[in-house]
Amino acid sequence: MIQQDSIIIFENVFKSYKGEEVLENIDFQIKRGEFVFLIGPSGAGKSTIIKLLNREESPSSGKIFIDGTELGTVPVDQMHKIRRKIGVIFQDFRVIKSKNVFENVSISLEVVGTSNDVIQEVVPNILSMVGLQHKIYKNPAELSGGEVQRLVIARALAHEPDIIIADEPTGMIDPRATSEIMNLLTEINKMGTTVLMATHDHNIVNHFKKRVLKIQDGKLISDRKGGSYHD
Amino acid sequence: MINFKSAFEFLRKEKGISFISVMAIFVSFVLLGFMLSFLVFSNTALNFLQKQVQVRVFFKDIFSEEQILNLKSQLESDPRIMEVGYTSKEQALLIFKEFSKNDPVLQESLSTNILPASLEIRTRDVKDLDQIYEEFSNKEEVESVKYLKDIKDRFSYVSLIVTIVSLAITTVFFVVSFGIILSTIRINIYSKKEEIEIIKLVGGSNDFVTRPFIEQGLIYSMTGSLLSGVVLTVILSSVFFLNVLGIRDLGSVVLFSNYKIPYFIFVIILVVIVNVLGYLLGSVGSRTAVKNYLKI
């Protein structure tokens, strides 16, 4: 049954590539303000779920709702309105190499029509929050893996989205940076932002004791609140 | 919100391509300006020539001055006729003497009997001149009829040929400019393929993604057309102040068939036309490029 306060809903979603089923009958709901881990081994289907949420991919069948809107009913040229509600921390970063740190973050504000004055104020604040204030005019090529990861988080947060979707945000960084990023995501969640984080880092999942959705071979095999990686 | 930042960024990074694009558009618009100026100048000249075209009827001595003046009165009541001038034998001699004042030998040999009296007939419509010419050609009392129709027709013909050739050259340059805008924007789109994808994923609308490319085309064409406007103003002002083709004496040019405007108003209109066309070329060119090459 669909709950009124759900911000993300997957309703019997199937996805196949060239006849091969990668997601089978995925059905879950995430409430506004929840922090949910999406776990499973590599190739289980976590990234496909994230691509479906951001409409990089479309489901083969089933329905996906974001904040009450069924994505299948949104015309391609209106999809930006849905994407503005989401801040995605991509596993492969997807930074614009020709732009510096400031410009990479400001792009997510420019697309929503934020004025230049506000951009000049907000971007340095966000970069301070992720500890990149001293790298503001550096190019992504001059940053370490952890710094690029923080840059991507800053970009995802800048326009204050309703939902943060993080695809393995700690996959390429050291334990200290991992801890900083997790603290940051927890703080953002406390302020009311819904967080869906895909990871296969069992230490993080076990430590934070949040709701855990477990995917295996394209199927949702468990959904537990306050769960751990091996439940 | 108009923001040319991204478009200017490409111009800064790709100076060579940008320079070639702007120059091609500049040359096209200078040619267009010259062609339009030529059309207006030749129309002005034609208008002037048409007013000069007349049928001049020379009479034999057997036809007396009284008879000629009677005929003049009859012609003046003809609705086709605008003006009839009479040149007596004495006046014709004076005119000829003025022409040949540097040749005393010729002047001494002249007498009133040598030159015939004549009527200069101008019609309201140039087309009626052919009929007037025919009417007088076969009359017994007429010695000869002069009609400078050939000059007018030849001028019209040459001006038509020059117009067609300039139109063809200008069209070729416009097609080349359009092609250059298309290719430059295509290069820019391909070089920013990854960036476009990322901007869309962080919530960039189609308009946000396409706008920089459309602005890029507009910057090229507007820069080219503005430069050509400056060059055309300088050249056409020089034509006026140096009194080339007697333009300063005329002070005005003739648009269309008979519509006269002051010369500098024509220059302003020409510069406005060039810049409006510049905007249209850039706008249509860049929108076509975005439609064809940017799959969003």
Side-chain angles (χ1 to χ4, degrees):
Chain A
M1 197 177 82
I2 293 171
Q3 290 167 9
Q4 287 296 315
D5 55 350
S6 295
I7 195 163
I8 297 173
I9 300 169
F10 268 59
E11 205 178 88
N12 310 116
V13 172
F14 287 78
K15 176 69 184 173
S16 59
Y17 294 109
K18 295 175 185 169
E20 193 185 334
E21 211 83 66
V22 290
L23 289 179
E24 274 180 59
N25 200 24
I26 302 294
D27 202 289
F28 65 85
Q29 297 178 32
I30 296 175
K31 286 181 191 170
R32 201 175 293 275
E34 258 194 296
F35 193 123
V36 178
F37 285 117
L38 182 64
I39 64 165
S42 295
K46 302 189 296 293
S47 293
T48 305
I49 287 178
I50 286 171
K51 283 181 179 169
L52 289 172
L53 278 169
N54 203 27
R55 198 61 189 279
E56 281 182 77
E57 305 275 356
S58 299
S60 306
S61 68
K63 289 177 181 173
I64 299 166
F65 294 84
I66 298 279
D67 201 14
T69 306
E70 203 249 295
L71 298 189
T73 64
V74 181
V76 175
D77 64 350
Q78 294 299 312
M79 202 52 219
H80 61 275
K81 290 177 182 167
I82 299 293
R83 286 179 176 146
R84 287 173 188 178
K85 294 182 179 190
I86 306 169
V88 183
I89 301 163
F90 297 99
Q91 186 177 16
D92 53 357
F93 305 141
R94 304 210 190 168
V95 289
I96 301 171
K97 295 180 188 87
S98 59
K99 293 186 186 288
N100 65 27
V101 168
F102 182 95
E103 291 165 335
N104 263 287
V105 176
S106 71
I107 196 78
S108 66
L109 291 165
E110 285 173 33
V111 297
V112 294
T114 309
S115 73
N116 199 38
D117 289 346
V118 175
I119 289 174
Q120 294 296 330
E121 195 186 319
V122 168
V123 175
N125 286 344
I126 291 278
L127 288 173
S128 291
M129 219 165 104
V130 297
L132 282 180
Q133 69 277 16
H134 54 291
K135 304 269 171 131
I136 197 161
Y137 298 116
K138 296 275 182 193
N139 280 325
E142 299 172 88
L143 304 180
S144 68
E147 286 170 333
V148 178
Q149 188 69 273
R150 281 184 274 160
L151 164 61
V152 178
I153 292 170
R155 185 181 65 192
L157 300 179
H159 63 293
E160 298 179 355
D162 296 333
I163 305 164
I164 290 283
I165 296 171
D167 191 2
E168 304 279 5
T170 58
M172 298 173 79
I173 52 178
D174 59 47
R176 190 166 155 263
T178 298
S179 168
E180 283 172 11
I181 284 168
M182 285 313 299
N183 288 338
L184 190 65
L185 289 175
T186 309
E187 284 305 310
I188 292 159
N189 176 243
K190 279 180 186 165
M191 287 189 270
T193 307
T194 308
V195 178
L196 174 65
M197 177 174 154
T199 184
H200 57 246
D201 187 332
H202 53 86
N203 288 330
I204 293 174
V205 179
N206 293 340
H207 177 76
F208 283 90
K209 303 223 176 290
K210 302 282 186 185
R211 181 181 166 198
V212 179
L213 299 173
K214 191 169 186 178
I215 305 282
Q216 198 169 310
D217 298 328
K219 297 183 186 102
L220 182 64
I221 58 166
S222 75
D223 180 354
R224 290 172 195 274
K225 285 187 178 166
S228 67
Y229 199 92
H230 298 291
D231 282 342
Chain B
M1 186 178 71
I2 293 175
N3 177 5
F4 285 91
K5 197 176 89 179
S6 178
F8 277 119
E9 190 183 291
F10 181 80
L11 259 67
R12 202 183 64 234
K13 285 181 183 167
E14 301 291 344
K15 289 189 187 79
I17 287 175
S18 303
F19 179 77
I20 291 167
S21 306
V22 170
M23 279 301 114
I25 293 160
F26 165 73
V27 172
S28 304
F29 280 108
V30 169
L31 283 175
L32 174 77
F34 282 157
M35 191 198 73
L36 290 176
S37 303
F38 175 79
L39 280 176
V40 170
F41 290 161
S42 62
N43 194 44
T44 306
L46 263 178
N47 190 274
F48 177 78
L49 272 179
Q50 279 181 351
K51 284 186 179 161
Q52 303 307 308
V53 176
Q54 59 183 358
V55 170
R56 184 176 276 260
V57 184
F58 294 94
F59 294 95
K60 289 177 182 167
D61 288 346
I62 50 159
F63 205 57
S64 70
E65 184 169 24
E66 195 186 341
Q67 287 171 304
I68 296 173
L69 290 173
N70 276 340
L71 179 63
K72 180 175 180 278
S73 303
Q74 285 170 31
L75 285 169
E76 279 168 345
S77 59
D78 187 326
R80 296 172 302 169
I81 307 295
M82 183 172 71
E83 193 182 14
V84 184
Y86 171 62
T87 307
S88 66
K89 290 170 76 71
E90 290 76 17
Q91 285 168 323
L93 182 66
L94 281 174
I95 293 166
F96 193 82
K97 277 186 173 174
E98 181 59 28
F99 263 115
S100 57
K101 62 185 174 191
N102 296 326
D103 192 342
V105 180
L106 182 64
Q107 288 212 348
E108 276 172 28
S109 64
L110 290 172
S111 74
T112 46
N113 288 331
I114 287 179
L115 299 169
S118 62
L119 287 178
E120 300 89 46
I121 305 164
R122 287 198 178 89
T123 52
R124 293 182 201 284
D125 189 336
V126 185
K127 288 172 198 157
D128 290 331
L129 283 171
D130 286 330
Q131 210 180 351
I132 302 287
Y133 175 80
E134 290 302 322
E135 283 173 19
F136 282 97
S137 294
N138 303 319
K139 286 197 173 174
E140 200 183 321
E141 66 272 20
V142 171
E143 189 175 284
S144 65
V145 185
K146 299 281 183 208
Y147 175 25
L148 299 176
K149 182 175 180 285
D150 286 353
I151 293 175
K152 189 206 93 181
D153 288 349
R154 197 166 294 170
F155 186 85
S156 299
Y157 178 73
V158 172
S159 119
L160 180 72
I161 296 292
V162 175
T163 303
I164 290 169
V165 171
S166 5
L167 189 67
I169 294 171
T170 310
T171 307
V172 168
F173 266 85
F174 262 83
V175 170
V176 169
S177 303
F178 189 79
I180 285 177
I181 288 179
L182 245 63
S183 330
T184 329
I185 293 173
R186 185 173 64 170
I187 291 168
N188 195 7
I189 286 171
Y190 286 150
S191 74
K192 292 193 165 186
K193 208 174 166 185
E194 199 184 12
E195 184 177 330
I196 291 165
E197 198 182 311
I198 293 167
I199 290 171
K200 285 197 69 67
L201 285 174
V202 299
S205 62
N206 287 357
D207 180 54
F208 187 89
V209 172
T210 55
R211 202 193 306 140
F213 301 107
I214 290 166
E215 286 165 356
Q216 185 193 346
L218 281 176
I219 290 171
Y220 287 156
S221 58
M222 291 305 289
T223 310
S225 59
L226 280 170
L227 278 176
S228 63
V230 171
V231 168
L232 285 169
T233 306
V234 170
I235 292 173
L236 292 174
S237 300
S238 307
V239 164
F240 182 84
F241 290 113
L242 298 172
N243 202 17
V244 179
L245 307 167
I247 289 288
R248 192 167 63 182
D249 295 338
L250 282 173
S252 60
V253 287
V254 180
L255 298 181
F256 317 117
S257 57
N258 258 324
Y259 190 71
K260 242 185 197 181
I261 55 162
Y263 182 76
F264 278 100
I265 297 290
F266 157 69
V267 176
I268 292 168
I269 291 173
L270 185 71
V271 171
V272 169
I273 288 174
V274 161
N275 283 293
V276 168
L277 287 176
Y279 175 82
L280 289 176
L281 180 76
S283 182
V284 174
S286 51
R287 278 171 208 279
T288 308
V290 162
K291 197 178 163 195
N292 289 348
Y293 308 122
L294 189 59
K295 306 294 177 205
I296 50 176

